[in-house]
Amino acid sequence: MMKKNKSGLIFTSPFYILFLTFMVYPILFSFYLSFNKWNGVGEMEWVGLANYINLFRDDLVWKSMFNALFFFFTYVPVMLFLALVLAVFLNSNIKGRGFFRAAVYLPNITSLVAVAFTFQLLLDKNYGLLNMFLSYLGISSINWLGTPLGARLSIDMLMIWRWLGYNTIILLAGLQSIPEEMYEAAIIDGASKVQSFFRITVPLMKPVLLFTLVLSTIGTFRMFTEVFILTGGGPANSTLTPVVHLYNTGFNWFKFGYASSITYLIILITLILSMVQMKLLNEKEVKS
Amino acid sequence: MKRLNKFIMYLILTLTVIITILPFIWMISASFKDIREIFSYPPTIIPDNFSFSNYLQLFAEYPFARNIFNSTFIAVTATTGSLFFCTLGGFGFAKFDFKFKNQLFLVLIASMLIPPQSIMIPLFLVFKRIGWVNTFYPLIVPGLANAFGIFFMRQYMTSIPDSLIEAARIDGGSDFYIFLKIIVPIVKPALATLGIIFFMNSWNAFVWPLIILQDIELQTIPVVLTNLQGVIYTPYNLIMAGSVISIIPLFVVFMFMQQYFISGITAGAVKQ
Amino acid sequence: MRKMTFIIAVLLVLSLNFTVMAQEVVTVEAWSIAADGLAEIIPAFEEETGIKVELKKTENATMKQNLLLSLNAGTGAADVVLMEDFWAPRFLDTGGFVDITDRVEEHYGKFLEFKWDPIEMNGKYYGMPWDIGPVGLFYRRDLFEEAGLESDPEAVAEMLSTWEKYYEVAEKIKSETGTYMLAYGKSNYDNRMFQNMLQQQNLGYFDETGEVLIDHPQVIETAKYINQLWEDDLALDAAEWTTGWYAAIETGEIATVVSGSWLGGFLKGWIAPEHDGVWGVVPLPAWEEGVRTANNGGSSLYITNQAENVDNAFKFIEYALTRNEPQLAMYESQDLFPSLTSTYEADLFEKPDPYFGGQKQRQTFAELAEDITPFYFTTDFDEAATYVSNAFEEIALGAEVEEEFKDAAEKTRRETGRD
């Protein structure tokens, strides 16, 4: 059986050393920092709660939160729906399943920087491929990256493109774990394909769907590179995300004190979201 | 009816694949065009003036060879180092009992909830204080023993029968000897999966290299690509050439080790 | 124990030093055209002095970000760096530069005076002036003719002597030819043209003492002028340096461009190389008070306190910036307009430029250069500019000018501690 000696503690200690140095200490340090005004080189100046008060007055903070919610409600449902459709297709008896699966997954292994630059070209108002296709359909050129709604939809497109294959594979794994006999039994009972999809597939897939939902939620609130390169947060801050705002405050304007209070807000929101979702997950597991 | 269903299925799948592949084709095509052709209407898929000059210019005017080396060095070091410490940590949690083990494990899980980007400000200040800005350490050391890797290896190792370890122990092997000689060979498939995840994350990493590496000689490929972007003029032709180079290594690895990528994703799903 | 040896082994591997080795060379970091210009003169400098120069070429936007971070961190910056005037005050504020007041003193009178403003902080000087961008109005002769207007520079300069007249011509050109008078981006634009218009009137986002001017009545009036251009559909929505703007210039969608002298180099180079003889240049229209030019862009060279050998670094900037020959060479090849006034006597300025229909465009700009008044950036220019850009973006979406600018002013005051 398991041995009780120091080895286990020693083997796991590197994690705790790194965790304390590069996570716990910075978090505590930024707590102190959040009560100060500091540009990183001069003297720190104690300002009490001023940074937190400023947080409520800073419309960019709230705008960035709103944007994150917008992305979440627009891209996540569309992507998960498409992923489920693809997964169901790939789970059926078709030829070239391996090829399709590999092809849709490719975007996920590519450098986001490379891809975001490519999307800039594809979405260009004047010379972009997308507007050219739209012009064939009689739609006049859309200023994707220059208008608030266009820029938001551009980010959505990039996110869906990049994460569709990844989620398809997770959902496919879920589908494959449903025993074939359940469907056979349903057919014997006289259920149609559509009926068995809603009676068997959907309920059994709920945990996996929730899992992909959790991942996507966290991903949305951490979003940085997509926005940083594709839109820079504009126009009119319509695509500014919390992390981009944090970056700008810290590394463009060197307001380390104020940025620390934003840090706490982001951590707080992420933790609340994670807990809500974990609770959801646990409830589902108990039920099923 | 059945045939029609099949047809629609293939149609949708093929359309999806085309949309998925199109940006890559566009990237590759643009990397062989000059800037004026990239910005001409209507866009061309096959370049009118096919030329390698973008690639040549990239290496001639910028230290791009050095940037490729940097990316490779960081990714290889980070991957091997992290595999070692995560396997060790996973072994510690899977096969040993020690004080506060459950509480410590909970801390490990909880640490995954904090988004690493959110602490970029204080962590940058820590790196600054210990003189790590403009070095590779921040891109390698903090992730050496990371929570996800340890968790992943622990899950994998719980299925290893204890009797194997006991037998080696009776033969007088130390715990570390058992780790190297018994455990590591058994977990090789898991190492491949985890290694690919680590390599991919490090190779494509952007936020931290952007913050830490200011000297162009020390930068990684993704950072140097954004460095080409100018206020007045952005040489998309060069950026696209650099982008193509940046996606090649993972594409090649993916072709040969596809199943490890897939198992890396689904392993995450199964844990829930 | 074993774990320790392993950690030590790993750390040893890692500790191979990957920072650039300090050598007996001067490292210089600059962006695109400036780097290309310096690359041309470095061989002659190396030959004359025996000092090696290592040039690093980056792009402007990221160099700014990287330099700010490396100054803040105290590591990673080159010995000599190029900084645009509008970033300089904030960067000097990091304390990352060498005070070279004693060394630049003898050169003080050689440059246009306004150019020293961003270089100086608390009475000390940290750099040497390089290029400027005297602002003029570039116009398309062919489109003016098409609208039935005169098109030679003297006549156009007279015809567009005030912004009021400019507006009338804009309406005329629009109704006669259907072309826009200019492009003014509704988004993704840093509003350089607006800044130039303010500089003409001795205004800006801040005054000399650092007070916020964004809600100054004249600033708001100027913003209303731009909004009026949008509302009357006289300005095309295309931000400078975006593809829409290139297209607009190349295909003749706009009749004029307000820009720095260096625009000529870009037009010839790749925006519209085939437009031989199409363009002309005249001074900016005037406001009720103020001059007919401004400054757009321009940079200077500075020595960081990370420099190993300040003497050698200074020798280099002295060579590159205070002598006519290298200055004129870089002006001719890269359109980096000197602020070293002795260069304006050179023959080059007398040369008719075939691209501009034989106009002596360099002379036009040299004359304008002497009129440029200072523009006060302060350490918080970037932040103020962001809020003004946001204000314009909101206005383009229908918000009220006065309200948005008052908001932007208040926000600038609050966020930069000026309230």
Side-chain angles (χ1 to χ4, degrees):
Chain A
M1 257 321 283
M2 288 205 187
K3 201 177 152 194
K4 203 164 185 134
N5 69 4
K6 287 213 175 81
S7 298
L9 206 57
I10 293 172
F11 289 170
T12 53
S13 62
F15 168 76
Y16 295 98
I17 294 168
L18 296 175
F19 174 63
L20 288 173
T21 323
F22 298 115
M23 199 161 242
V24 176
Y25 173 73
I27 289 175
L28 294 178
F29 177 56
S30 75
F31 185 68
Y32 172 71
L33 205 52
S34 69
F35 296 100
N36 285 279
K37 192 181 163 184
W38 194 41
N39 68 2
V41 281
E43 293 281 303
M44 277 195 209
E45 183 193 331
W46 183 266
V47 292
L49 284 171
N51 288 328
Y52 287 96
I53 293 166
N54 214 358
L55 206 55
F56 288 96
R57 291 201 300 184
D58 183 354
D59 49 357
L60 291 187
V61 167
W62 304 109
K63 195 151 193 181
S64 69
M65 296 289 170
F66 171 82
N67 291 338
L69 284 175
F70 177 91
F71 292 134
F72 176 73
F73 282 112
T74 48
Y75 111 86
V76 176
V78 175
M79 181 198 62
L80 286 185
F81 173 74
L82 290 175
L84 189 60
V85 171
L86 287 185
V88 170
F89 286 0
L90 291 177
N91 196 37
S92 68
N93 183 24
I94 59 155
K95 278 184 195 133
R97 180 200 294 191
F99 165 76
F100 287 122
R101 190 177 64 169
V104 293
Y105 179 60
L106 268 186
N108 200 248
I109 64 166
T110 9
S111 152
L112 200 41
V113 173
V115 164
F117 277 120
T118 311
F119 266 63
Q120 275 189 352
L121 293 180
L122 289 168
L123 296 169
D124 191 88
K125 184 187 166 199
N126 299 284
Y127 305 112
L129 204 55
L130 183 58
N131 275 347
M132 188 180 81
F133 284 138
L134 292 178
S135 76
Y136 292 153
L137 302 174
I139 299 168
S140 63
S141 79
I142 295 172
N143 192 357
W144 289 107
L145 298 171
T147 52
L149 184 62
R152 283 181 178 151
L153 294 179
S154 300
I155 298 283
D156 281 339
M157 284 191 265
L158 176 57
M159 293 292 278
I160 292 172
W161 181 81
R162 187 164 158 83
W163 291 102
L164 180 62
Y166 180 89
N167 286 286
T168 303
I169 285 171
I170 294 181
L171 294 174
L172 181 60
L175 286 176
Q176 283 166 341
S177 67
I178 300 174
E180 194 61 33
E181 298 88 66
M182 294 193 76
Y183 291 108
E184 281 161 16
I187 290 168
I188 292 165
D189 289 348
S192 73
K193 270 218 158 149
V194 177
Q195 278 172 325
S196 64
F197 176 80
F198 283 105
R199 281 193 205 153
I200 301 170
T201 314
V202 172
L204 286 176
M205 285 293 283
K206 256 186 188 162
V208 187
L209 273 170
L210 266 169
F211 171 72
T212 54
L213 187 67
V214 172
L215 283 186
S216 312
T217 314
I218 296 173
T220 316
F221 279 87
R222 287 177 180 187
M223 194 155 60
F224 176 81
T225 312
E226 297 85 344
V227 171
F228 188 79
I229 297 196
L230 192 56
T231 65
N237 296 310
S238 57
T239 55
L240 189 78
T241 59
V243 181
V244 174
H245 185 45
L246 177 70
Y247 178 91
N248 287 340
T249 311
F251 296 128
N252 268 333
W253 301 338
F254 288 89
K255 295 176 176 176
F256 287 139
Y258 181 47
S260 294
S261 65
I262 301 178
T263 299
Y264 269 85
L265 187 70
I266 294 178
I267 292 180
L268 188 75
I269 288 175
T270 326
L271 286 183
I272 292 173
L273 278 173
S274 306
M275 278 174 197
V276 168
Q277 286 174 324
M278 279 217 230
K279 210 158 175 171
L280 274 173
L281 269 177
N282 283 339
E283 268 171 22
K284 294 292 164 191
E285 254 159 45
V286 171
K287 269 184 199 162
S288 60
Chain B
M1 187 62 199
K2 249 200 167 149
R3 219 174 251 171
L4 185 70
N5 278 345
K6 269 243 151 102
F7 175 75
I8 292 171
M9 227 150 72
Y10 279 115
L11 188 73
I12 291 176
L13 282 171
T14 311
L15 265 175
T16 314
V17 169
I18 289 173
I19 292 170
T20 307
I21 302 293
L22 205 61
F24 295 117
I25 293 175
W26 201 245
M27 185 192 292
I28 295 166
S29 148
S31 78
F32 294 109
K33 293 176 185 171
D34 66 21
I35 189 83
R36 286 184 67 84
E37 191 177 345
I38 290 177
F39 295 121
S40 65
Y41 195 88
T44 49
I45 296 249
I46 312 264
D48 287 341
N49 299 305
F50 185 91
S51 138
F52 278 101
S53 66
N54 296 331
Y55 290 90
L56 299 177
Q57 199 185 343
L58 196 59
F59 284 96
E61 285 186 18
Y62 299 91
F64 202 70
R66 178 69 208 245
N67 302 132
I68 295 175
F69 169 80
N70 295 341
S71 276
T72 314
F73 178 85
I74 294 172
V76 169
T77 318
T79 304
T80 32
S82 313
L83 282 180
F84 174 79
F85 284 105
C86 292
T87 316
L88 197 63
F91 182 45
F93 275 120
K95 294 297 169 196
F96 292 90
D97 213 358
F98 49 90
K99 250 191 184 172
F100 304 119
K101 179 175 157 182
N102 292 335
Q103 289 88 333
L104 283 173
F105 192 65
L106 207 66
V107 169
L108 180 113
I109 300 293
S111 77
M112 284 194 268
L113 294 179
I114 297 169
Q117 293 97 318
S118 69
I119 57 167
M120 59 166 107
I121 309 290
L123 195 47
F124 169 77
L125 294 168
V126 169
F127 291 144
K128 179 182 155 182
R129 192 175 306 171
I130 54 181
W132 280 12
V133 175
N134 262 310
T135 69
F136 293 164
Y137 301 112
L139 312 174
I140 297 169
V141 178
L144 276 181
N146 64 76
F148 171 76
I150 293 172
F151 179 85
F152 181 92
M153 290 316 281
R154 188 207 94 126
Q155 298 303 83
Y156 194 86
M157 281 184 214
T158 38
S159 63
I160 297 174
D162 291 336
S163 53
L164 263 175
I165 298 167
E166 283 312 310
R169 203 163 269 150
I170 289 160
D171 291 346
S174 73
D175 289 337
F176 192 72
Y177 176 87
I178 292 169
F179 169 72
L180 279 185
K181 294 287 159 186
I182 312 249
I183 300 296
V184 171
I186 296 177
V187 298
K188 264 187 186 154
L191 285 177
T193 303
L194 198 58
I196 279 173
I197 296 176
F198 286 159
F199 187 86
M200 191 162 88
N201 287 345
S202 176
W203 183 264
N204 290 339
F206 178 62
V207 183
W208 278 106
L210 175 77
I211 295 170
I212 291 299
L213 304 174
Q214 286 109 38
D215 187 326
I216 189 168
E217 299 266 336
L218 294 175
Q219 283 166 351
T220 57
I221 301 172
V223 180
V224 99
L225 289 183
T226 59
N227 270 5
L228 295 178
Q229 191 173 23
V231 173
I232 291 196
Y233 168 60
T234 299
Y236 281 98
N237 50 337
L238 302 186
I239 291 180
M240 288 299 109
S243 298
V244 170
I245 293 173
S246 83
I247 66 173
I248 287 173
L250 282 168
F251 270 41
V252 172
V253 179
F254 181 69
M255 290 237 235
F256 293 104
M257 304 183 77
Q258 213 196 106
Q259 75 275 20
Y260 293 106
F261 282 84
I262 307 290
S263 62
I265 309 170
T266 44
V270 169
K271 83 178 176 194
Q272 303 280 339
Chain C
M1 249 337 272
R2 282 199 184 87
K3 185 195 58 117
M4 279 306 288
T5 37
F6 255 88
I7 291 180
I8 289 165
V10 170
L11 287 181
L12 272 177
V13 174
L14 293 174
S15 64
L16 295 165
N17 201 349
F18 275 95
T19 47
V20 179
M21 302 289 274
Q23 291 159 326
E24 268 305 298
V25 293
V26 176
T27 54
V28 178
E29 188 164 0
W31 59 82
S32 51
I33 50 169
D36 294 342
L38 290 174
E40 291 168 27
I41 62 151
I42 282 172
F45 170 76
E46 286 181 332
E47 202 176 317
E48 187 179 308
T49 60
I51 301 164
K52 291 280 293 169
V53 176
E54 192 188 306
L55 180 68
K56 292 181 194 175
K57 183 178 170 180
T58 340
E59 276 310 326
N60 174 309
T62 9
M63 180 179 163
K64 178 181 169 197
Q65 185 65 44
N66 284 338
L67 183 60
L68 198 49
L69 273 169
S70 49
L71 290 171
N72 202 291
T75 162
D79 301 349
V80 174
V81 295
L82 183 70
M83 293 202 286
E84 260 196 89
D85 293 349
F86 78 89
W87 346 325
R90 198 152 69 95
F91 284 57
L92 294 179
D93 198 43
T94 62
F97 292 89
V98 181
D99 170 11
I100 49 172
T101 313
D102 298 339
R103 297 174 197 252
V104 300
E105 222 161 19
E106 57 168 311
H107 302 295
Y108 191 84
K110 295 178 184 170
F111 297 91
L112 292 171
E113 202 182 335
F114 85 93
K115 190 68 187 170
W116 288 102
D117 183 70
I119 293 173
E120 180 257 5
M121 190 179 68
N122 302 327
K124 296 204 170 70
Y125 292 82
Y126 296 89
M128 188 85 85
W130 185 356
D131 69 310
I132 55 171
V135 176
L137 187 75
F138 294 76
Y139 69 96
R140 299 239 344 200
R141 295 166 189 258
D142 54 342
L143 290 173
F144 272 61
E145 282 161 20
E146 214 182 304
L149 299 165
E150 287 186 83
S151 69
D152 63 293
E154 288 83 50
V156 174
E158 182 49 41
M159 187 196 315
L160 301 177
S161 60
T162 67
W163 283 107
E164 218 180 304
K165 288 190 185 170
Y166 180 87
Y167 208 96
E168 287 160 13
V169 172
E171 283 170 324
K172 177 148 190 185
I173 288 185
K174 187 73 194 280
S175 63
E176 295 289 325
T177 68
T179 335
Y180 289 100
M181 186 63 163
L182 77 165
Y184 200 103
K186 292 183 173 178
S187 60
N188 302 333
Y189 181 41
D190 61 3
N191 299 290
R192 283 273 176 109
M193 180 175 160
F194 178 63
Q195 291 161 23
N196 297 155
M197 290 166 123
L198 296 183
Q199 188 177 3
Q200 283 189 287
Q201 308 169 74
N202 247 320
L203 295 164
Y205 296 164
F206 300 95
D207 70 7
E208 198 174 355
T209 62
E211 282 293 313
V212 175
L213 290 180
I214 295 169
D215 51 0
H216 187 285
Q218 253 172 282
V219 174
I220 293 175
E221 279 311 308
T222 312
K224 281 184 177 161
Y225 183 91
I226 287 165
N227 189 38
Q228 197 62 47
L229 286 168
W230 277 336
E231 284 186 351
D232 294 344
D233 202 25
L234 298 172
L236 173 75
D237 171 20
E240 283 176 20
W241 313 110
T242 61
T243 57
W245 187 69
Y246 304 145
I249 290 178
E250 211 200 336
T251 59
E253 275 179 272
I254 51 174
T256 67
V257 179
V258 169
S259 190
S261 53
W262 35 261
L263 177 68
F266 290 102
L267 290 176
K268 295 173 202 169
W270 50 271
I271 298 177
E274 64 282 0
H275 283 188
D276 268 327
V278 170
W279 292 88
V281 176
V282 292
L284 281 189
W287 298 94
E288 275 164 39
E289 307 163 43
V291 293
R292 292 191 64 176
T293 188
N295 181 48
N296 183 351
S299 316
S300 299
L301 287 176
Y302 297 78
I303 302 174
T304 68
N305 62 10
Q306 297 171 29
E308 293 276 320
N309 188 330
V310 175
D311 287 332
N312 285 352
F314 188 76
K315 273 183 198 149
F316 177 70
I317 63 174
E318 200 173 32
Y319 175 88
L321 305 182
T322 67
R323 296 192 192 184
N324 283 357
E325 207 179 300
Q327 277 298 299
L328 286 166
M330 293 192 283
Y331 176 43
E332 191 164 13
S333 70
Q334 307 292 337
D335 267 285
L336 296 153
F337 198 99
S339 59
L340 185 68
T341 49
S342 56
T343 55
Y344 302 161
E345 312 299 326
D347 295 341
L348 180 61
F349 285 85
E350 289 290 328
K351 244 168 62 183
D353 188 333
Y355 185 85
F356 285 92
Q359 193 186 350
K360 292 177 186 168
Q361 54 99 1
R362 295 187 180 91
Q363 200 178 40
T364 309
F365 283 116
E367 281 160 12
L368 288 175
E370 319 255 7
D371 292 342
I372 298 170
T373 51
F375 187 83
Y376 303 104
F377 294 108
T378 80
T379 52
D380 300 311
F381 177 75
D382 269 335
E383 211 171 334
T386 304
Y387 300 137
V388 170
S389 291
N390 290 342
F392 270 118
E393 288 175 343
E394 297 291 348
I395 290 163
L397 296 171
E400 234 248 307
V401 177
E402 192 145 353
E403 211 171 289
E404 286 300 321
F405 269 73
K406 285 194 165 146
D407 274 2
E410 194 212 332
K411 205 156 177 203
T412 308
R413 289 195 185 97
R414 190 175 73 222
E415 297 290 328
T416 66
R418 287 164 205 267
D419 48 0

